[in-house]
């Protein structure tokens, strides 16, 4: 299976982003499970609470990641457009209105 020249290729960071979410949720679940285990001294209760915390944190992280609106560079990358080399992020372009000195 070959890719078309204009087809989107995710970066390594984009590929590892789901692992970051699962890892963060796992760390929160392990921490909470250990706290419950130390305080209540019941393994079953600690495992149940850790599972609930894992699911809740994972869902919250997924919802927060969907709430972020992609910037112009990301949209251009997804659409396969080439960004203009003269357009630095945040410079307002070559004819930015209301800029001092223009």
């Amino acid at each position: 299976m070959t890719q078309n020249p204009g087809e989107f290729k995710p970066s390594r960071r984009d590929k590892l982003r789901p692992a970051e979410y699962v890892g963060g949720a796992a760390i929160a679940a392990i921490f909470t499970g250990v706290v419950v285990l130390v305080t209540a001294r019941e393994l079953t209760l600690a495992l149940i609470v850790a599972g609930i915390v894992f699911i809740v944190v994972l869902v919250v992280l997924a919802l927060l990641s969907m709430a972020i609106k992609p910037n112009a560079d990301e949209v251009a990358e997804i659409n396969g457009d080439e960004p203009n080399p003269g357009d630095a992020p945040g410079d307002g372009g070559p004819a930015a209105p209301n800029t001092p000195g223009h």
Side-chain angles (χ1 to χ4, degrees):
M1 185 166 132
T2 60
Q3 286 188 329
N4 296 334
E7 195 169 322
F8 173 70
K9 293 181 184 178
S11 66
R12 183 175 180 181
R13 180 173 171 87
D14 291 335
K15 290 179 185 177
L16 292 177
R17 188 166 292 154
E20 293 174 3
Y21 296 151
V22 172
I27 290 170
I30 290 169
F31 175 76
T32 307
V34 168
V35 169
V36 171
L37 182 63
V38 168
T39 57
R41 297 182 191 261
E42 290 189 35
L43 182 62
T44 308
L45 181 63
L47 291 175
I48 290 171
V49 170
I52 291 171
V53 168
F54 177 77
I55 292 170
V56 168
V57 169
L58 192 61
V59 169
V60 167
L61 287 175
L63 288 173
L64 288 174
S65 71
M66 289 188 331
I68 297 172
K69 183 178 177 183
N71 61 17
D73 292 336
E74 292 172 344
V75 172
E77 183 178 326
I78 291 170
N79 292 336
D81 299 336
E82 292 292 324
N84 294 337
D87 291 344
D91 71 349
N98 299 330
T99 48
H102 287 292

